[in-house]
């Protein structure tokens, strides 16, 4: 017999039409008589397990974070262990020497960075100046919109940012209401690696303060999105009004209850 099903939140709702030959989706949070509910658990036992079958050579990866704030530390470490190379990393910056994406630069696994800020990393500087590393410098707001648009299914957009500079070289320029705009293509990474604070088992996410930064846009844009969190709760435990990103954008979840959260620039008073 044929099966028709519908996802309602994180519940697969299947209802029989009673003829014993076919079933049809009721499309409701609670199925009528004879229906089934199959809850989805997206939690993986480790970061290595979550990445083992999805990371390939030459992929484009989106990575959340701003500086070292809100970076998926365990997923980056697992990415290093995959040994995959020729990667293009889309991230606001490239970490620091020996931490964050800096680890992937040290192992020469990244061939290209699409970023808006690349300071604080001497190895990045060395590789770029020697021609070992490609760099696509992107204004910060444009980078955020490239990811947001990618997640929304928008292939391109126009912005005033970069018009008249090398950022616009080779790109379409169009005039609207007497003002020139440059066309920018959106970004939809093959895999997105994201950091959140809390997830339920269906992937609904809560971010914590400034650690939210680029993470929601990176999560939305990824063809496959893997999220690292500090807490996992049962589906239904989160107040829907407190959910920052719905689980429809999340495919896999890993727990890292004690991330290092290294401080990039520590300032103290004597």
């Amino acid at each position: 017999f044929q099966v028709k099903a519908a996802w309602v939140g994180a519940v697969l709702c299947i209802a029989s039409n009673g003829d014993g030959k076919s079933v049809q989706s009721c499309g409701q949070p609670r199925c009528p008589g004879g229906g089934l509910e199959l809850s989805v658990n997206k939690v993986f036992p480790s970061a290595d397990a979550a990445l083992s079958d999805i990371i390939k050579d030459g992929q484009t990866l989106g990575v959340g974070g701003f500086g070292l704030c809100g970076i998926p530390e365990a997923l980056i470490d697992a990415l290093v262990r995959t040994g995959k190379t020729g990667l293009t990393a889309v991230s606001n910056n490239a970490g620091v020497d020996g931490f964050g994406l800096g680890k992937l630069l040290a192992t020469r696994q990244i061939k290209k960075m699409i970023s808006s800020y690349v300071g604080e990393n001497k190895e990045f500087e060395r590789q770029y100046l020697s021609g070992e590393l490609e760099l696509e410098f992107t204004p910060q707001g444009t980078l955020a919109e490239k990811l947001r648009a990618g997640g929304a299914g928008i292939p391109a957009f126009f912005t005033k940012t970069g018009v008249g500079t090398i950022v616009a070289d080779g790109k379409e320029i169009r005039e609207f209401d007497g003002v020139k705009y440059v066309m920018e293509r959106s970004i939809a990474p093959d895999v997105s690696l994201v950091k959140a604070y809390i997830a339920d088992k269906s992937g609904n996410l809560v971010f914590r303060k400034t650690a939210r930064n680029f993470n929601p846009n990176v999560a939305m844009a990824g063809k496959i999105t893997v999220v690292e969190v500090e807490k996992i709760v049962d589906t239904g435990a989160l107040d829907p009004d407190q959910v920052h990103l719905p689980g429809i954008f999340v495919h896999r979840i890993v727990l890292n209850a004690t991330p290092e959260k290294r401080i990039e620039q520590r300032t103290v008073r004597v």
Side-chain angles (χ1 to χ4, degrees):
F1 59 88
Q2 295 179 340
V3 174
K4 295 182 180 179
W7 290 103
V8 182
V11 174
L12 179 60
C13 190
I14 307 174
S16 172
N17 65 5
D19 64 5
K21 296 180 180 180
S22 64
V23 295
Q24 63 184 13
S25 166
C26 66
Q28 300 175 11
R30 292 292 178 267
C31 295
L36 302 173
E37 288 185 1
L38 304 177
S39 295
V40 178
N41 185 348
K42 301 178 181 179
V43 180
F44 276 64
S46 68
D48 293 281
L51 299 186
S52 63
D53 61 335
I54 59 174
I55 301 298
K56 312 295 181 184
D57 290 334
Q59 284 181 324
T60 296
L61 307 180
V63 184
F66 186 96
L68 299 183
C69 178
I71 64 171
E73 298 175 20
L75 289 172
I76 291 173
D77 288 344
L79 185 57
V80 172
R81 290 191 290 270
T82 67
K84 302 303 181 182
T85 60
L87 304 173
T88 295
V90 183
S91 186
N92 180 67
N93 60 294
V96 298
D97 292 293
F99 197 71
L101 289 179
K103 293 183 177 182
L104 287 156
L105 289 172
T107 55
R108 308 295 196 278
Q109 289 172 263
I110 295 176
K111 74 167 185 178
K112 180 179 180 179
M113 286 293 309
I114 301 176
S115 300
S116 66
Y117 177 70
V118 295
E120 321 302 333
N121 194 317
K122 293 181 180 178
E123 179 59 17
F124 183 104
E125 178 186 18
R126 189 199 66 76
Q127 290 187 26
Y128 175 67
L129 293 177
S130 67
E132 300 172 37
L133 180 69
E134 298 177 48
L135 171 61
E136 185 177 320
F137 247 147
T138 306
Q140 196 166 80
T142 301
L143 180 61
E145 181 62 12
K146 280 174 170 279
L147 291 163
R148 191 206 66 81
I154 299 170
F157 59 92
F158 285 91
T159 176
K160 290 190 289 185
T161 304
V163 173
T165 75
I166 60 173
V167 169
D169 287 353
K171 299 175 183 177
E172 179 181 347
I173 303 295
R174 192 176 298 184
E175 189 171 302
F176 298 93
D177 300 322
V179 179
K180 291 183 178 180
Y181 293 78
V182 59
M183 190 182 79
E184 296 282 0
R185 294 294 305 270
S186 62
I187 298 176
D190 297 304
V191 178
S192 282
L193 307 181
V194 171
K195 169 66 188 293
Y197 182 47
I198 303 173
D200 67 18
K201 293 179 181 179
S202 299
N204 297 303
L205 301 181
V206 175
F207 299 95
R208 189 169 190 274
K209 300 181 179 180
T210 55
R212 188 188 308 193
N213 52 64
F214 276 79
N215 279 296
N217 287 345
V218 172
M220 291 174 63
K223 296 172 184 174
I224 300 175
T225 294
V226 187
V227 181
E228 172 184 327
V229 297
E230 296 175 45
K231 298 180 182 179
I232 298 175
V233 299
D234 289 333
T235 299
L238 297 175
D239 181 342
D241 285 339
Q242 302 303 312
V243 171
H244 295 140
L245 190 75
I248 191 68
F249 295 107
V250 176
H251 303 90
R252 301 181 177 192
I253 306 165
V254 298
L255 178 66
N256 180 13
T258 57
E260 180 179 342
K261 296 184 180 179
R262 186 179 298 185
I263 297 174
E264 188 171 354
Q265 297 286 352
R266 185 185 298 273
T267 302
V268 297
R269 292 183 179 180
V270 179

